[in-house]
């Protein structure tokens, strides 16, 4: 069997102009998905060249399941102080929670600066330093590769930000994080695979379904020895009513007849939940993981499509 040789391509051979070529390429949904796969975020484009004072952020996006702002700054050159200052300006001006700096090459002092920012900010500020590369085999089309140089310490930040008394709750948080990490590995090998982002030490795990007004949330209910899968609707009673007016058809499609329909009239959010018994003292988690993956895929398939509000007469 003959093997080809990898050849690294100069970025400027393919992207002549940073804004007109690279930013436009990156803003395409499939390329933001590839970047999201590497850094662990569901990235949804808001706009390119977003104004911040007299500067413009290359890409303004949001995390699909939470609406948290993401700023992406592109630099098809070696990192410099000017761009480091710009990403801090964008973080403040847009109140972004995720800042992604994509570059050709990285100077040691700038990696140290990004690492320092990740170590000394809370969970509401997360910095990623990413190198973009182009590779070719023989005469094939160039293939892009995102290489993470610096990223947030997710475990440290999630625990530090969500646990007031770490000595009291750290064991619970560790159990939750371990459970989600194992689920993520299991889901990646499932058929079809369920794409899960970087887990955190908390009792819920959000999963995008391709729409911004609702998403799947997986939950661990340790006191009740249950795991849950739900559609979480953060701010639309109308959407909940549209789903509920199709209750019979939805439950038939999901093959679940004991869904918990919770409009929560005193709150902005609503949810539609399913539960599965699981003993958290057990280390045999495959059956729970199988249920979570299969139910998530069903929820995604059923709730990602529009359900019109039906007459209740």
């Amino acid at each position: 069997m003959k093997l080809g040789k990898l050849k690294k391509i100069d970025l400027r051979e393919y992207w002549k102009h940073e804004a007109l070529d690279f930013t436009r390429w990156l803003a395409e949904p499939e390329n933001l998905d590839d970047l999201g796969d590497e850094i662990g975020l569901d990235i949804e484009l808001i706009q390119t060249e977003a104004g911040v004072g007299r500067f413009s952020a290359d890409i303004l996006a949001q995390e699909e399941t939470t609406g948290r702002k993401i700023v992406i700054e592109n630099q098809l050159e070696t990192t410099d102080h000017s761009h480091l200052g710009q990403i801090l300006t964008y973080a403040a001006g847009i109140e972004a929670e995720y800042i992604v700096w994509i570059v050709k090459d990285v100077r040691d002092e700038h990696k140290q600066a990004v690492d320092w920012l990740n170590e000394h900010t809370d969970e509401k500020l997360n910095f990623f330093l990413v190198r973009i590369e182009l590779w070719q085999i023989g005469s094939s089309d160039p293939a892009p590769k995102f290489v993470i140089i610096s990223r947030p310490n997710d475990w440290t930040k999630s625990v530090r930000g969500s646990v007031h008394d770490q000595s009291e709750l750290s064991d619970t948080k560790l159990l939750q994080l371990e459970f989600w990490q194992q689920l993520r590995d299991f889901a990646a090998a499932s058929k079809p695979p369920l794409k899960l982002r970087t887990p955190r030490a908390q009792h819920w795990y959000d999963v995008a379904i391709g729409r911004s007004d609702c998403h799947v949330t997986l939950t661990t209910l340790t006191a009740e020895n249950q795991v849950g899968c739900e559609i979480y609707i953060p701010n639309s009673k109308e959407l909940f009513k549209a789903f509920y007016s199709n209750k019979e058809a939805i439950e038939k499609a999901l093959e679940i007849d004991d869904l918990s329909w919770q409009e929560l009239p005193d709150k902005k959010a609503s949810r539609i939940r399913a539960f599965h018994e699981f003993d958290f003292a057990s280390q045999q988690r495959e059956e729970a993981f199988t249920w979570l993956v299969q139910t998530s895929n069903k929820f995604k398939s059923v709730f990602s499509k529009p359900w019109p509000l039906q007459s209740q007469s």
Side-chain angles (χ1 to χ4, degrees), residues 123 153-163 200-202:
E123 82 284 356
N153 185 330
D154 286 318
W155 184 87
T156 300
K157 287 196 171 190
S158 64
V159 172
R160 187 172 67 213
S162 61
V163 180
R200 297 195 177 197
Q202 55 197 20

Side-chain angles (χ1 to χ4, degrees), residues 297-313:
N297 281 324
K298 286 182 180 180
F299 271 48
K300 183 176 181 179
S301 175
V302 170
F303 289 103
S304 61
K305 64 182 181 180
W307 290 87
L309 184 64
Q310 305 290 331
S311 172
Q312 299 299 301
S313 58

Side-chain angles (χ1 to χ4, degrees), residues 47-60 89-90 93-94:
Q47 69 177 99
T48 58
E49 301 300 324
V52 184
R54 63 186 183 89
F55 297 101
S56 293
D58 291 329
I59 292 178
L60 174 62
T89 300
Y90 301 151
I94 298 177

